[in-house]
Amino acid sequence: MAELARITVEPREPLAAEVSRRLIDYLMSGEVQPGDRIPSERQLTEMLGVNRPTVREAIKSLGFLGLLEIRQSSGTYFRGTDSDVLYRLFELGLVLGERGARDMVQARAELEVIVAGLAAQARDEAGVELLRARLTAMRECPDDEFAEADTAFHAALGELAGNTVLRDMLKGMRAMIQRGWVERTGAVRSREVAYADHVPIFEAVAKGDTEAARAAMARHMEGASRRLMKALEQREA
């Protein structure tokens, strides 16, 4: 059975959340197979160096998410993961530590570039008109609705690209980045800059220019990722 590293308490994060994160890392490591029983509360308490109520709270949380099954008088079992469970985990930020946050930002940027290129290849009149409407909404909406309009533009690109796996992956990543980090760090641009970033993406997709769409999205993601990582670094300092 894989060993769990003892926890060093980080004051920025509730201890139960850190325990949940360590348990998820353990469950995702490949050392535990669906249907396997995980160590008992007492064993986990000793392995992690935390108190038993904290371990119990973390187990209940992962049970609620569908990752663990708690059987009375038998123990706690790993149920495995499906796409719904993974989506909730990503959205809640439970699978990401400091390194994971950076990996998520990078992965999101790369996938957005791929999707932009696919959208340009697969464009049709209805898709272009939807994208045009989403861009118009970004320009004309009230300030407090701009983030939602921005997300809707990217979601329309995902629909136009026609790849449901990429669409759903990016949906979870965007939700986590927006609710999990942007709202906490304030890593936002002016709406003028953000809107201007999206115009060349739309124009390239509308023309069916795959390389231009990829390049425009890459420029957009480069700036957005840089600002977000800077905000995260300042928060961690």
Side-chain angles (χ1 to χ4, degrees):
M1 184 175 292
E3 290 294 327
L4 279 162
R6 292 175 70 86
I7 285 177
T8 300
V9 177
E10 295 288 344
R12 294 188 301 271
E13 181 173 38
L15 185 56
E18 175 63 15
V19 172
S20 296
R21 193 192 310 283
R22 294 295 180 86
L23 287 177
I24 290 170
D25 287 344
Y26 167 64
L27 295 171
M28 301 294 187
S29 68
E31 297 287 340
V32 187
Q33 299 302 312
D36 286 353
R37 185 171 65 180
I38 70 169
S40 67
E41 286 183 7
R42 180 184 59 79
Q43 291 172 315
L44 290 172
T45 296
E46 294 174 354
M47 290 176 181
L48 295 168
V50 297
N51 60 51
R52 197 158 181 169
T54 299
V55 170
R56 187 175 297 120
E57 181 181 349
I59 288 174
K60 286 182 179 179
S61 296
L62 299 189
F64 176 76
L65 289 170
L67 204 58
L68 296 176
E69 179 183 358
I70 303 168
R71 302 177 189 172
Q72 295 298 325
S73 305
S74 176
T76 302
Y77 295 78
F78 178 39
R79 295 183 61 184
T81 59
D82 57 31
S83 59
D84 289 339
V85 171
L86 287 175
Y87 175 82
R88 289 196 295 271
L89 292 175
F90 277 119
E91 190 172 23
L92 292 171
L94 291 175
V95 295
L96 299 175
E98 180 180 338
R99 170 65 183 274
R102 284 157 175 75
D103 287 350
M104 172 68 84
V105 171
Q106 181 182 32
R108 186 258 174 130
E110 295 293 337
L111 291 181
E112 292 281 12
V113 170
I114 293 171
V115 163
L118 291 175
Q121 289 178 11
R123 86 200 190 291
D124 56 23
E125 184 176 347
V128 170
E129 287 308 307
L130 174 61
L131 205 58
R132 189 192 309 276
R134 296 290 170 82
L135 186 65
T136 299
M138 289 180 66
R139 186 181 68 240
E140 299 179 353
C141 70
D143 287 345
D144 61 355
E145 297 177 9
F146 183 79
E148 183 178 348
D150 187 335
T151 298
F153 178 92
H154 285 269
L157 274 177
E159 292 293 344
L160 187 53
N163 186 303
T164 57
V165 174
L166 288 172
R167 179 198 66 193
D168 292 344
M169 289 174 66
L170 280 168
K171 178 182 177 182
M173 289 179 178
R174 292 187 200 110
M176 178 175 168
I177 289 171
Q178 179 63 35
R179 293 199 289 272
W181 302 334
V182 172
E183 292 176 2
R184 292 204 306 263
T185 65
V188 295
R189 295 160 291 171
S190 71
R191 67 177 290 169
E192 290 79 11
V193 172
Y195 172 77
D197 271 6
H198 290 75
V199 173
I201 298 171
F202 166 74
E203 291 175 344
V205 171
K207 293 175 183 176
D209 190 331
T210 300
E211 290 307 313
R214 289 173 58 90
M217 181 62 80
R219 288 192 297 272
H220 171 47
M221 285 290 106
E222 180 182 6
S225 299
R226 183 175 62 251
R227 277 180 288 271
L228 180 56
M229 296 317 305
K230 182 177 180 180
L232 287 170
E233 289 167 2
Q234 290 173 343
R235 183 178 175 85
E236 292 162 1

